[in-house]
Amino acid sequence: MTQQMNRRDVLKAFAMISTASFLEVGSPQLERALRGMESLAESPEQGQGRPYAPKFFNRREWQLVRMLSDYVIPRDARSGSATDAKVPEFMDFLLSDKDASPASQSSMRGGLAWIDNESRRRFTKTFVTASDAQRRQILDDIAFPRRARPEFSHGVAFFTRFRDLTASGFFSSAMGWKDVQYIGNVFHHWDGCPPPALDKLGVNYDLMNTRIHSNR
């Protein structure tokens, strides 16, 4: 199935299935995070270019989170990137929330440290200061769990969660709603099952109505 879907469609499916194991859909923490994203999007200060001040991430982590999220969902002809949709702010909001899981906080910090340490080990540079080709070399080793080598298991676990959280944040934003062409709770007229489908099943509405009346 994934061979018939583009990369963003696959991420969209991941986002709809789960919320990255950080929290459950409908939880108070998620509701607060989504309200926070709405306020950020509507904030006139953001429109004037005032940078967001993260509450959970430090400066080094913030740069890395922004870069990684844009590798997951880059800007394309259809819509903006993860940072355009304020996904890093969404992550920071979740992880700085009073109900944030300490395990999730440690997992995020530990995963970001793993990425930087791996980049230093290979290239004597942090992930942010490495070249695009060098960054992609690391990501290619942890982005595909089935073919990843055992020594990259910690990186794989982190990046899987990070990718899912990025997708969840993006497709919870106004930009993400437009990307999936969500139109909200509006009336949709249904003309019934199309004739080709009825023919394939060997039924028609007259036959179905006859059966309904005969069973009464």
Side-chain angles (χ1 to χ4, degrees), residues 19 21-35 90 93-94 97-101:
T19 312
S21 303
F22 273 73
L23 66 169
E24 295 180 355
V25 175
S27 70
Q29 187 188 356
L30 177 59
E31 294 300 321
R32 287 196 295 273
L34 294 179
R35 286 198 301 270
F90 171 78
F93 207 102
L94 284 179
D97 187 83
K98 63 184 180 64
D99 294 325
S101 161

Coordinates of all heavy atoms in Angstrom, one line a residue, residues 19 21-35 90 93-94 97-101:
T19 N -1.1 9.5 18.6 CA -0.6 10.8 18.9 C 0.8 10.6 19.5 O 1.1 11.1 20.6 CB -1.5 11.5 19.9 OG1 -2.8 11.5 19.4 CG2 -1.1 13.0 20.0
S21 N 2.3 8.4 21.1 CA 2.5 7.7 22.4 C 2.8 8.7 23.6 O 3.1 8.3 24.7 CB 3.6 6.7 22.4 OG 3.3 5.7 21.4
F22 N 2.7 10.0 23.3 CA 2.9 11.0 24.3 C 1.7 11.2 25.1 O 1.8 11.5 26.3 CB 3.4 12.3 23.7 CG 4.8 12.4 23.5 CD1 5.4 11.7 22.4 CD2 5.7 13.2 24.3 CE1 6.8 11.8 22.2 CE2 7.0 13.3 24.0 CZ 7.6 12.5 23.0
L23 N 0.5 11.1 24.5 CA -0.7 11.4 25.2 C -1.9 10.8 24.4 O -1.7 10.4 23.3 CB -1.0 12.9 25.4 CG -1.2 13.7 24.2 CD1 -1.6 15.1 24.6 CD2 0.1 13.9 23.4
E24 N -3.0 10.7 25.0 CA -4.2 10.1 24.3 C -5.0 11.3 23.7 O -5.1 12.3 24.3 CB -5.1 9.4 25.3 CG -4.4 8.1 25.9 CD -5.2 7.4 26.8 OE1 -6.4 7.9 27.1 OE2 -4.8 6.3 27.3
V25 N -5.6 10.9 22.6 CA -6.5 11.9 21.9 C -7.7 12.2 22.9 O -8.3 11.3 23.5 CB -7.1 11.3 20.6 CG1 -8.1 12.3 20.0 CG2 -6.0 11.1 19.6
G26 N -8.0 13.5 23.0 CA -9.0 13.9 23.9 C -8.6 14.2 25.3 O -9.4 14.6 26.2
S27 N -7.3 14.0 25.6 CA -6.8 14.2 27.0 C -6.7 15.8 27.2 O -6.5 16.5 26.3 CB -5.4 13.6 27.2 OG -4.5 14.3 26.4
P28 N -6.8 16.2 28.5 CA -6.7 17.6 28.8 C -5.4 18.2 28.3 O -5.3 19.3 27.8 CB -6.8 17.7 30.3 CG -7.5 16.4 30.7 CD -7.1 15.4 29.7
Q29 N -4.3 17.4 28.3 CA -3.0 17.9 27.9 C -3.0 18.2 26.4 O -2.5 19.2 25.9 CB -1.9 16.9 28.2 CG -0.5 17.4 27.9 CD 0.6 16.4 28.0 OE1 0.3 15.2 28.4 NE2 1.8 16.7 27.7
L30 N -3.6 17.3 25.6 CA -3.7 17.6 24.1 C -4.5 18.8 23.8 O -4.2 19.6 23.0 CB -4.2 16.3 23.4 CG -4.4 16.5 21.9 CD1 -3.1 16.8 21.2 CD2 -5.1 15.2 21.3
E31 N -5.7 18.9 24.6 CA -6.5 20.0 24.3 C -5.8 21.4 24.6 O -5.9 22.3 23.9 CB -7.8 19.9 25.2 CG -8.7 18.8 24.9 CD -9.2 18.8 23.5 OE1 -9.5 20.0 23.0 OE2 -9.3 17.8 22.8
R32 N -5.0 21.4 25.7 CA -4.3 22.6 26.0 C -3.2 22.9 25.0 O -3.0 24.0 24.6 CB -3.6 22.5 27.4 CG -4.5 22.5 28.6 CD -3.8 22.8 29.9 NE -2.9 21.7 30.2 CZ -3.3 20.6 30.9 NH1 -4.6 20.5 31.3 NH2 -2.5 19.6 31.2
A33 N -2.6 21.8 24.5 CA -1.6 22.0 23.4 C -2.2 22.6 22.2 O -1.6 23.5 21.5 CB -0.9 20.7 23.1
L34 N -3.3 22.0 21.8 CA -4.0 22.5 20.5 C -4.4 24.0 20.7 O -4.3 24.8 19.8 CB -5.1 21.6 20.2 CG -4.8 20.2 19.8 CD1 -6.0 19.4 19.5 CD2 -3.8 20.2 18.6
R35 N -4.9 24.3 21.9 CA -5.3 25.7 22.1 C -4.1 26.6 22.1 O -4.1 27.7 21.6 CB -6.0 25.8 23.5 CG -7.4 25.3 23.5 CD -8.2 25.9 24.7 NE -7.6 25.5 25.9 CZ -7.9 24.4 26.6 NH1 -8.7 23.5 26.1 NH2 -7.3 24.1 27.8
F90 N 4.5 23.2 19.2 CA 3.6 22.2 19.7 C 4.3 21.2 20.6 O 3.8 20.9 21.7 CB 3.0 21.5 18.4 CG 2.2 20.2 18.8 CD1 0.9 20.3 19.2 CD2 2.7 19.0 18.5 CE1 0.1 19.2 19.5 CE2 1.9 17.8 18.8 CZ 0.6 18.0 19.3
F93 N 5.2 22.9 23.8 CA 4.0 23.1 24.6 C 3.7 21.8 25.4 O 3.4 21.8 26.6 CB 2.9 23.5 23.8 CG 1.8 24.3 24.5 CD1 1.8 25.7 24.3 CD2 0.9 23.7 25.3 CE1 0.8 26.5 25.0 CE2 -0.1 24.5 25.9 CZ -0.1 25.8 25.8
L94 N 3.7 20.6 24.6 CA 3.4 19.4 25.3 C 4.4 19.0 26.4 O 4.0 18.6 27.5 CB 3.4 18.3 24.2 CG 2.3 18.1 23.2 CD1 2.5 17.0 22.3 CD2 1.0 17.9 24.0
D97 N 4.3 21.1 29.6 CA 3.0 21.1 30.3 C 3.1 20.5 31.7 O 3.9 19.6 31.9 CB 2.0 20.3 29.4 CG 0.5 20.4 30.0 OD1 -0.1 21.4 29.7 OD2 0.2 19.5 30.8
K98 N 2.3 21.0 32.6 CA 2.4 20.5 33.9 C 2.1 19.0 34.1 O 2.5 18.3 35.0 CB 1.4 21.3 34.8 CG -0.1 21.1 34.5 CD -0.9 22.0 35.4 CE -2.4 21.9 35.1 NZ -2.9 20.6 35.3
D99 N 1.3 18.4 33.1 CA 1.0 17.0 33.1 C 1.9 16.2 32.2 O 1.6 15.0 31.9 CB -0.5 16.8 32.7 CG -1.4 17.4 33.7 OD1 -1.1 17.3 34.9 OD2 -2.5 17.9 33.3
A100 N 3.0 16.8 31.7 CA 3.9 16.1 30.8 C 4.5 14.9 31.5 O 4.9 15.0 32.7 CB 4.9 17.0 30.3
S101 N 4.6 13.8 30.8 CA 5.2 12.6 31.4 C 6.8 12.8 31.5 O 7.4 13.1 30.5 CB 5.0 11.4 30.5 OG 5.8 10.4 30.7

